[in-house]
Amino acid sequence: GQQLNQSPQSMFIQEGEDVSMNCTSSSIFNTWLWYKQDPGEGPVLLIALYKAGELTSNGRLTAQFGITRKDSFLNISASIPSDVGIYFCAIRGAGNMLTFGGGTRLMVKP
Amino acid sequence: EPEVTQTPSHQVTQMGQEVILRCVPISNHLYFYWYRQILGQKVEFLVSFYNNEISEKSEIFDDQFSVERPDGSNFTLKIRSTKLEDSAMYFCASVETGHNSPLHFGNGTRLTVT
């Protein structure tokens, strides 16, 4: 199956700092998705990207679909304690089958 | 906002036993999915279901697994003879229509096989 390389695996930052994480793939995809998973809950969609070069924001979150269509990044500005969780990139295959990256565990120190 | 609901939230079973995990997708959704997440690992696709049949399935979804939509509201995942390595969080998801709609995930069932 498809492999997505997501980095970093974890981040421990101070409240107020900006955060950046990214995903890369060896294949080209038409859709990149970013999800957040809180403890004990299912993944929740944050941002969906459909076009190469697309830059989309959702509040303090900004994500970009790489020009090569093989990568994407997610930025969180001015982090707050509730940003804590695991962030996953994902690509969409046939039949809405999602392949997830390995996740970035974000910890925010107040 | 409508939600995908899953029961039970935690299921403990002995190796070799059958388990059924239950999901109630969002009512007007047409496509249904099961994913699993082994502790500390990424979320993995198991199976997709549309129009009362399996659309796609992964290598994980072997003969021990089956899915069913027994009525108009429930969507179940059955594991016939559980193994220790089946211990994981199992997430149900549904989508309204088409293949570009966002998936809505339930909060999962934690399956522990002892």
Side-chain angles (χ1 to χ4, degrees), chain A residues 40-57:
Chain A
E41 298 185 14
V44 174
L45 181 66
L46 298 174
I47 294 178
L49 302 161
Y50 300 106
K51 291 195 314 187
E54 180 180 353
L55 184 72
T56 297
S57 293

Side-chain angles (χ1 to χ4, degrees), chain B residues 5-110:
Chain B
T5 57
Q6 291 186 242
T7 55
S9 56
H10 192 190
Q11 173 88 47
V12 181
T13 189
Q14 287 191 325
M15 195 168 52
Q17 296 295 306
E18 175 184 286
V19 292
I20 297 177
L21 309 183
R22 303 182 190 279
C23 170
V24 178
I26 296 174
S27 62
N28 63 334
H29 285 191
L30 301 177
Y31 298 80
F32 315 112
Y33 306 83
W34 284 100
Y35 285 77
R36 83 166 185 195
Q37 184 180 32
I38 294 172
L39 185 65
Q41 297 186 22
K42 64 181 178 180
V43 179
E44 300 173 290
F45 170 78
L46 291 179
V47 65
S48 61
F49 191 87
Y50 170 71
N51 201 25
N52 283 320
E53 60 184 26
I54 290 173
S55 308
E56 304 277 348
K57 60 181 181 178
S58 70
E59 294 174 352
I60 303 167
F61 194 88
D62 61 21
D63 292 343
Q64 292 300 310
F65 291 88
S66 63
V67 289
E68 194 177 32
R69 187 153 164 82
D71 53 42
S73 60
N74 289 285
F75 179 51
T76 62
L77 174 69
K78 181 193 289 186
I79 308 175
R80 265 182 267 285
S81 177
T82 51
K83 304 186 285 286
L84 293 176
E85 54 265 37
D86 293 328
S87 295
M89 284 289 289
Y90 288 82
F91 293 104
C92 174
S94 69
V95 68
E96 183 175 358
T97 183
H99 293 289
N100 282 330
S101 304
L103 266 67
H104 295 257
F105 284 87
N107 282 334
T109 292
R110 179 175 298 282

Side-chain angles (χ1 to χ4, degrees), chain A residues 23-29 32 65-72:
Chain A
C23 272
T24 60
S25 168
S26 57
S27 301
I28 291 173
F29 296 103
W32 280 91
F65 192 148
I67 291 290
T68 65
R69 291 161 64 192
K70 292 182 178 181
D71 63 326
S72 177

Side-chain angles (χ1 to χ4, degrees), chain A residues 49-100:
Chain A
L49 302 161
Y50 300 106
K51 291 195 314 187
E54 180 180 353
L55 184 72
T56 297
S57 293
N58 178 5
R60 292 178 295 105
L61 277 61
T62 302
Q64 184 157 30
F65 192 148
I67 291 290
T68 65
R69 291 161 64 192
K70 292 182 178 181
D71 63 326
S72 177
F73 72 75
L74 174 71
N75 287 343
I76 305 173
S77 62
S79 57
I80 59 178
S82 61
D83 291 334
V84 164
I86 304 177
Y87 292 80
F88 291 98
C89 64
I91 52 90
R92 196 201 311 267
N96 224 347
M97 182 183 81
L98 302 184
T99 298
F100 285 85

